[in-house]
Amino acid sequence: MSIDDKKISKAENVAGKTNVRSTEPITEMTVSQLSRLLQARSITSVEVVDAYLKEISLKEPDVHSYITITAELARKQAEKVDKLRAAGQQLPALAGIPAGIKDNICTAGIPTTCASKMLEGFVPPYNATVMEKLAAQHVIIVGKTNMDEFAMGSTTENSYFKKTRNPLDLDRVPGGSSGGSSAAVAANEAAFTLGTDTGGSIRQPASFCGLVGMKPTYGTVSRYGLVAFASSLDQIGPLTKDVRDSALVLNALIGQDSLDSTSVAHPDSDFTSDIEGGVNGLRIALPKEYLSGGLSDDVREAVLNATKHYEKLGAHVEEVSLPNLKYALPAYCVISSAEASSNLARFDGVKYGYCAQDYEDIDQLYKKTRSEGFGREVKRRIMLGNFVLSADNYDAYYKKAMQVRTLIIKDLNTIFDRFDLIISPVSPTTAYKLRDKVGTPLEPYQDNLYTVPANIAGIPSLSIPCGKDSQGMPIGMQLAGKAFSEATLYRAAYAYEQSMKGGK
Amino acid sequence: MASIANYEMVIGLEVHVELKTATKLFCNCPTTFGAEPNTQCCPVCLGMPGTLPVLNEQAVNYAIMAGLATNCQITHFSIEDRKNYFYPDLPKAYQISQLDLPLCHDGYIDIETEKGDAKRIGINRIHIEEDAGKLIHEDSKGTFIDCNRGGVPLIEIVSEPDIRSAEEANAYLQKLRAIILYTGVSDCKMNEGSMRCDVNLSVRKKGETSLGTRTEMKNLNSFQFIMKAIEYEFKRQVESVEAGEAIVQETRRFDQQSGKTFSMRTKGDADDYRYFPDPDLAPIRISEERLRDLSSKIPVLPDQRKQEYVKQYEMTPYAAEQITMQKEISDYFEAVVENTNYPVLAANLIQTEVMRLLTQDEVDIPISAANFAGLVQMTGDGKINSSTSKKVLNMLWEKDQNPVELVRKEGLEQINDKDELIEIARQVVTEQPKLTADYRKGKTAVLQALVGQVMKKTSGRANPVIIKEAMVEILEETEEQA
């Protein structure tokens, strides 16, 4: 990532000081760079969009980031932005910038499939609230990104349509479930993307592809129009090339929504304002439970190096213990499956989406439609969810898992009484080869070992690159803070990112 | 069948009432009854992917008002749960309802049966939930779904198993309906389905305390059918038990034509609804202030009025119960008694003639309270007799007008002049030698027939008390002469 960073900082200088057209390829620029150039009218949105569409046509045959590409619509939107700017209108920071949207976020008039046969060809007549927000910013939508079916998985191999490859090594997975979103940004097929994170589905693919991925505080980004996997855990967030981009995009996404009863107002409105504040005096906790188990040596070393680096920058790092963390993953499996079993029950072939042919009665219609329309992983979780919610098992599984959830929240709150942040790896390993984990249904869950507590507790958590392994694949570290502490996370992540850039 | 007297029925009722909110429980679609199919739905109530419910606070207010009016405790922290099952009229494949923490619990209502038995029926709970859509089966074309009703707010009022007869069930339902109509939170129209009733019934030998296996009869849509279904099901269960057969816990359908109940499906493993708290909805928190505000909106309820009527007007409890059952009728009664000294007479007229003239569910009386009071006053003062009173009431029903003028114009005043009546009575005695002879032989019952003859000659205007006195005097007089 050091080479990329150098390019970016060079481009920033050029663009920032002279407003002269950079020689940097457009698609390698950050959102902030593009934003500056567009606002200065050094480049047009049509130029930007065309550059990305060209990149998409070059990369897609190998990477397969997208399920749907909306080239025509993107050009039209870009022309409109250029026209408004030419007419002298001041547009928001993200205006004219191309983005990819995970295919479980409803886009009016554009197919939204959740990478499932069940929703093949489904075109929602309504926008998700985040799409309305991006539209208000005049963001250009270039396509809908691939994912694990209904966001269940951590490799994007569970897509009904295609398998997305990691652009940094095409033999490897891009992570998941927002693997199309991470691959698209890493392959320069979008300036940023939206992903969704139920147990790590933004942070793990971001780390696999060397990106910044943010899962915001539960409720701060509206879930209206996000096809639910597990309602109490799902959050939408950005995948970006750097920390400032992430903050810029999140600025546009937050806001209480009258269409989502679980949404809350964020006390902050601009996450870039304090981003350069540094980490002097920041208290960082390092839970020892996060450094044991199946963690690879490269990842452990990279995270420990990062903690040392933070100390050098003036932060105070201390090892702590979170004894109940080991129950987070089993609790997550139970809660997410339970909610999914109910959320996905509506796909019955009666109203929209896939409908089985040849059935004799309503029961057969349900059974055939759902047997044929869902993939293996989805069916496995539906069955698990129905099992843990059934009258005989409810107390032993679902109720118990909810009690564990309360314990974990308590544990984390105790930590946050004394610390500003928790640092940890994102994932036990870096990106692995495709099909490596197929055939062991439980193993992909292990990828979420470190990420699920943030979902369980509803706290913000981001993933940021912290080096490379012996194979040259990026390693991600995770920063998590108490609810609404996004600004602190960004400040800490930005300090690290900048200092690493300077060091090389 | 001699042994049916040894058994008693144990009944619990589950009543669904549609709340009169302008919009649905979780979206802004209108709730108007009778719209074209599928014209009152949106992505939210159709359960489209990604959509989310947002609770209608007015529905919560209405549910709480129903709870307050039925003496319930109100839950300050209540949860909405998902009830999961597949059915084509349920687009999300789960109904948002309440399981462990309903909005209202532990209430009661007092009932009075026709026989004059007063009883308190416990209310276990009142919870809030969304209605399902409607399936329309058309023989030649298949089954259609109308989602207009889907998402309309309902409350389910679950009674304790305190009901022991069809009459009690009827009295409970009438009273419940009256209370809810008074609060104004529902229009409770059984024919439009805004009030529906499921009956849980089991039988046991009198004196036993444990409960038998119950059956559930669903969606009975009139009070009359509910009573019939209860009578039939009681008999059926007693016969089964007497024959040594076990009662199967099942849902039964009441057939209106035959008056019998039939098994629909047995409750088995299939009915595991996998309830769990809906993660899309925050818990419902009710503040003391909100509760106070809602309490202040509860009007004077039928029981309070009933007690006032019994005390103030010396009406029987049953008559007072009947008058107060419908708020509009009760309001009308109160307007009438302000202008007359004869409240009991007014109540009687309303209960008999007015109730007869009003068709089911109708409450609009086409006679102004002042004119009605005038009629009552004339009757009470003896200016017209009771049969004329009824006749005039019917005339006013056709065309509302001043009853005093009407009576004068039509010459309907009561003849109270004893001399005039004696004259007519003499004529009758002469014309009816046989009746007169019978009376003399001691068949005093024929007096009524003789009085009737006088009535006939006066076109019903004679004062019946005075005729009777006159007639007896004449008959005894002629006897003496003979």
Side-chain angles (χ1 to χ4, degrees):
Chain A
M1 76 166 276
S2 59
I3 299 161
D4 282 356
D5 282 345
K6 251 185 229 164
K7 278 184 187 171
I8 287 162
S9 68
K10 209 194 289 168
E12 258 173 4
N13 289 335
V14 173
K17 285 176 187 157
T18 65
N19 280 344
V20 162
R21 175 74 177 271
S22 163
T23 51
E24 191 82 23
I26 285 172
T27 58
E28 287 181 18
M29 292 184 193
T30 62
V31 171
S32 3
Q33 283 177 289
L34 286 171
S35 175
R36 231 169 287 142
L37 291 172
L38 284 163
Q39 286 183 69
R41 295 182 58 203
S42 306
I43 49 172
T44 65
S45 183
V46 169
E47 281 176 276
V48 175
V49 166
D50 281 345
Y52 273 101
L53 291 176
K54 193 176 159 204
E55 199 71 15
I56 288 171
S57 62
L58 283 172
K59 300 277 179 66
E60 268 308 274
D62 294 325
V63 181
H64 308 292
S65 301
Y66 289 99
I67 292 174
T68 306
I69 295 162
T70 53
E72 220 174 294
L73 181 74
R75 282 203 101 240
K76 238 187 248 167
Q77 289 176 334
E79 281 164 16
K80 191 183 158 197
V81 169
D82 289 339
K83 215 179 271 174
L84 290 172
R85 281 216 162 101
Q89 267 207 39
Q90 278 296 312
L91 297 181
L94 300 180
I97 292 174
I101 307 298
K102 191 177 180 180
D103 211 20
N104 57 350
I105 296 171
C106 285
T107 42
I110 304 168
T112 301
T113 68
C114 296
S116 180
K117 181 181 181 181
M118 191 59 98
L119 282 177
E120 188 172 13
F122 172 68
V123 181
Y126 47 90
N127 261 330
T129 296
V130 290
M131 296 315 297
E132 294 289 342
K133 285 185 168 285
L134 292 185
Q137 294 272 323
H138 298 280
V139 169
I140 314 294
I141 308 305
V142 289
K144 302 296 295 286
T145 58
N146 198 21
M147 55 186 283
D148 287 300
E149 184 180 0
F150 285 105
M152 294 173 184
S154 40
T155 64
T156 314
E157 289 168 295
N158 292 335
S159 168
Y160 169 69
F161 301 105
K162 52 178 75 171
K163 288 183 176 37
T164 301
R165 307 272 173 160
N166 191 319
L168 307 175
D169 177 350
L170 294 176
D171 288 338
R172 293 176 192 270
V173 298
S177 66
S178 308
S181 289
S182 63
V185 176
N188 297 327
E189 294 180 289
F192 74 90
T193 52
L194 293 191
T196 64
D197 192 314
T198 305
S201 280
I202 288 173
R203 290 161 286 160
Q204 182 257 22
S207 89
F208 277 20
C209 292
L211 306 171
V212 173
M214 171 58 116
K215 182 209 89 76
T217 304
Y218 183 80
T220 56
V221 177
S222 168
R223 291 185 297 113
Y224 186 83
L226 160 62
V227 182
F229 160 13
S231 316
S232 73
L233 304 163
D234 296 341
Q235 271 294 279
I236 296 170
L239 292 96
T240 55
K241 284 183 174 133
D242 71 7
V243 177
R244 186 183 287 276
D245 281 5
S246 184
L248 267 177
V249 177
L250 189 61
N251 281 350
L253 300 180
I254 55 164
Q256 190 163 19
D257 182 10
S258 62
L259 298 177
D260 176 359
S261 323
T262 61
S263 87
V264 288
H266 202 294
D268 298 329
S269 56
D270 182 3
F271 299 109
T272 63
S273 61
D274 192 30
I275 203 164
E276 291 168 14
V279 293
N280 201 20
L282 208 69
R283 300 159 302 171
I284 302 177
L286 174 68
K288 60 180 184 198
E289 287 83 0
Y290 272 158
L291 294 172
S292 52
L295 185 63
S296 85
D297 292 342
D298 286 346
V299 176
R300 180 187 291 111
E301 209 188 308
V303 171
L304 287 174
N305 281 339
T307 62
K308 281 176 202 146
H309 194 77
Y310 268 123
E311 283 182 323
K312 267 190 253 165
L313 292 173
H316 166 75
V317 182
E318 193 181 314
E319 198 174 270
V320 297
S321 177
L322 282 169
N324 288 315
L325 266 183
K326 59 174 177 286
Y327 303 118
L329 194 57
Y332 166 80
C333 290
V334 170
I335 294 166
S336 66
S337 304
E339 292 182 13
S341 71
S342 174
N343 284 331
L344 271 61
R346 70 189 65 197
F347 303 109
D348 57 8
V350 174
K351 306 164 291 275
Y352 44 75
Y354 179 73
C355 180
Q357 304 297 304
D358 307 321
Y359 49 86
E360 271 162 24
D361 56 27
I362 189 76
D363 279 344
Q364 212 182 28
L365 166 68
Y366 290 150
K367 281 177 190 163
K368 284 185 87 172
T369 297
R370 291 169 63 79
S371 300
E372 295 163 11
F374 287 133
R376 286 179 64 85
E377 182 62 26
V378 173
K379 279 187 272 195
R380 188 156 36 222
R381 297 198 196 197
I382 290 173
M383 286 189 281
L384 181 60
N386 281 320
F387 176 81
V388 300
L389 286 179
S390 60
D392 293 343
N393 302 313
Y394 184 90
D395 286 354
Y397 291 91
Y398 183 78
K399 202 170 158 192
K400 186 71 88 188
M402 292 303 274
Q403 288 163 344
V404 169
R405 187 172 194 169
T406 306
L407 279 181
I408 289 166
I409 292 169
K410 250 169 110 181
D411 266 16
L412 287 168
N413 283 339
T414 312
I415 299 283
F416 290 130
D417 284 344
R418 293 173 49 221
F419 296 91
D420 300 301
L421 295 178
I422 293 173
I423 191 168
S424 74
V426 174
S427 182
T429 67
T430 55
Y432 35 84
K433 300 232 161 106
L434 266 77
R435 305 195 66 78
D436 259 11
K437 292 200 171 174
V438 173
T440 52
L442 277 179
E443 215 176 321
Y445 278 109
Q446 294 300 314
D447 279 6
N448 296 331
L449 193 59
Y450 309 130
T451 49
V452 294
N455 301 85
I456 295 256
I459 58 175
S461 169
L462 69 71
S463 160
I464 172 178
C466 67
K468 287 184 174 163
D469 71 359
S470 55
Q471 310 284 307
M473 293 307 287
I475 297 169
M477 69 169 169
Q478 173 174 255
L479 301 176
K482 62 182 173 207
F484 308 112
S485 68
E486 278 85 351
T488 310
L489 297 189
Y490 279 135
R491 189 150 55 87
Y494 186 79
Y496 179 83
E497 184 187 69
Q498 292 302 308
S499 67
M500 293 312 281
K501 207 191 284 177
K504 301 253 165 114
Chain B
M1 280 318 296
S3 57
I4 195 157
N6 300 333
Y7 286 85
E8 69 172 358
M9 54 179 108
V10 177
I11 296 171
L13 296 176
E14 291 169 16
V15 178
H16 286 92
V17 170
E18 266 182 14
L19 298 176
K20 228 163 59 179
T21 55
T23 56
K24 292 187 180 179
L25 188 53
F26 297 113
C27 63
N28 289 323
C29 288
T31 54
T32 329
F33 178 80
E36 280 290 298
N38 298 314
T39 55
Q40 296 183 347
C41 23
C42 72
V44 176
C45 58
L46 291 176
M48 300 282 279
T51 61
L52 296 170
V54 176
L55 181 63
N56 181 338
E57 291 296 334
Q58 187 60 35
V60 176
N61 288 345
Y62 281 177
I64 291 173
M65 284 172 73
L68 290 170
T70 51
N71 310 295
C72 284
Q73 307 293 311
I74 307 302
T75 314
H76 288 265
F77 182 90
S78 144
I79 299 278
E80 286 165 283
D81 298 287
R82 291 187 185 178
K83 180 182 182 180
N84 295 285
Y85 64 97
F86 288 98
Y87 207 63
D89 64 9
L90 192 68
K92 297 190 296 295
Y94 59 81
Q95 178 194 33
I96 302 176
S97 180
Q98 296 193 291
L99 181 66
D100 289 331
L101 292 168
L103 266 179
C104 321
H105 61 95
D106 294 310
Y108 62 85
I109 60 178
D110 291 323
I111 60 165
E112 190 109 25
T113 62
E114 200 164 355
K115 291 173 202 154
D117 301 329
K119 189 169 176 180
R120 178 161 290 185
I121 307 293
I123 288 174
N124 177 284
R125 59 187 285 156
I126 299 178
H127 68 252
I128 196 161
E129 63 185 27
E130 56 179 337
D131 210 343
K134 221 181 223 169
L135 292 186
I136 301 154
H137 303 283
E138 286 190 12
D139 285 344
S140 55
K141 296 182 199 155
T143 299
F144 295 83
I145 307 170
D146 176 6
C147 289
N148 283 354
R149 202 181 64 182
V152 167
L154 293 177
I155 47 173
E156 181 174 334
I157 303 150
V158 182
S159 84
E160 296 291 352
D162 293 344
I163 297 163
R164 293 288 174 277
S165 68
E167 290 74 31
E168 283 182 15
N170 186 48
Y172 168 83
L173 289 169
Q174 299 278 7
K175 189 60 167 285
L176 183 63
R177 182 168 182 272
I179 291 169
I180 289 174
L181 284 172
Y182 267 65
T183 62
V185 304
S186 171
D187 55 19
C188 292
K189 288 184 181 162
M190 286 198 110
N191 57 345
E192 289 183 7
S194 64
M195 182 172 179
R196 286 167 254 158
C197 181
D198 302 339
V199 179
N200 288 299
L201 187 149
S202 63
V203 298
R204 65 183 174 196
K205 284 240 171 74
K206 280 180 183 162
E208 277 180 12
T209 51
S210 62
L211 294 169
T213 306
R214 66 169 198 266
T215 62
E216 183 178 18
M217 290 176 282
K218 277 211 169 289
N219 283 339
L220 298 152
N221 59 9
S222 81
F223 293 113
Q224 191 198 351
F225 289 142
I226 290 165
M227 290 178 72
K228 275 191 180 162
I230 288 172
E231 296 293 1
Y232 176 84
E233 183 61 13
F234 175 55
K235 205 168 139 244
R236 187 193 70 84
Q237 286 194 20
V238 170
E239 281 169 5
S240 292
V241 172
E242 283 290 298
E245 292 162 16
I247 303 295
V248 184
Q249 189 179 342
E250 61 183 356
T251 303
R252 295 181 72 84
R253 180 179 61 83
F254 175 72
D255 182 70
Q256 300 182 359
Q257 252 79 50
S258 63
K260 294 178 179 176
T261 66
F262 296 95
S263 176
M264 273 169 76
R265 57 191 159 99
T266 54
K267 291 227 172 193
D269 301 330
D271 274 345
D272 185 343
Y273 292 116
R274 290 152 289 132
Y275 278 100
F276 74 107
D278 192 327
D280 289 330
L281 292 160
I284 305 171
R285 289 184 170 84
I286 308 296
S287 67
E288 281 301 329
E289 192 191 349
R290 183 168 175 188
L291 210 49
R292 269 198 304 274
D293 180 46
L294 292 171
S295 300
S296 73
K297 292 194 170 111
I298 306 287
V300 175
L301 293 172
D303 271 348
Q304 258 171 288
R305 286 195 176 186
K306 176 180 157 187
Q307 280 158 16
E308 280 167 25
Y309 293 1
V310 170
K311 214 172 115 193
Q312 206 177 328
Y313 308 130
E314 295 177 332
M315 286 164 73
T316 67
Y318 182 73
E321 175 111 353
Q322 293 305 107
I323 290 286
T324 53
M325 205 58 104
Q326 278 162 308
K327 185 170 182 294
E328 290 84 351
I329 304 285
S330 183
D331 287 345
Y332 186 81
F333 168 74
E334 291 185 3
V336 168
V337 295
E338 268 181 33
N339 295 306
T340 169
N341 311 325
Y342 305 104
V344 176
L345 199 56
N348 282 342
L349 262 184
I350 289 173
Q351 247 181 286
T352 52
E353 280 306 289
V354 171
M355 294 298 196
R356 189 181 62 78
L357 288 163
L358 286 171
T359 50
Q360 208 193 346
D361 287 341
E362 220 184 318
V363 287
D364 288 334
I365 300 168
I367 304 172
S368 75
N371 286 343
F372 196 95
L375 173 67
V376 172
Q377 193 63 29
M378 277 194 289
T379 313
D381 288 346
K383 288 185 179 141
I384 54 174
N385 67 25
S386 63
S387 65
T388 308
S389 177
K390 282 178 192 169
K391 195 164 149 190
V392 173
L393 195 152
N394 280 276
M395 288 162 85
L396 295 180
W397 199 274
E398 292 302 318
K399 183 173 181 265
D400 192 19
Q401 53 195 301
N402 186 326
V404 179
E405 281 167 23
L406 178 68
V407 165
R408 193 186 304 132
K409 201 171 68 195
E410 299 283 323
L412 295 172
E413 297 94 338
Q414 181 161 262
I415 303 167
N416 293 324
D417 183 339
K418 198 169 176 180
D419 291 343
E420 191 184 340
L421 291 176
I422 285 175
E423 201 52 46
I424 301 167
R426 282 193 204 287
Q427 282 175 31
V428 169
V429 168
T430 321
E431 285 163 21
Q432 301 288 343
K434 183 162 186 306
L435 286 175
T436 310
D438 283 350
Y439 184 88
R440 287 209 199 105
K441 283 177 200 154
K443 277 191 184 173
T444 51
V446 300
L447 180 62
Q448 203 51 49
L450 289 164
V451 169
Q453 288 299 317
V454 178
M455 253 332 166
K456 205 173 165 188
K457 281 187 179 291
T458 59
S459 312
R461 291 164 51 221
N463 183 327
V465 179
I466 299 177
I467 310 174
K468 218 178 208 171
E469 280 173 21
M471 189 58 81
V472 171
E473 274 176 30
I474 292 161
L475 287 169
E476 277 164 16
E477 196 178 278
T478 48
E479 215 167 348
E480 276 163 26
Q481 283 171 356

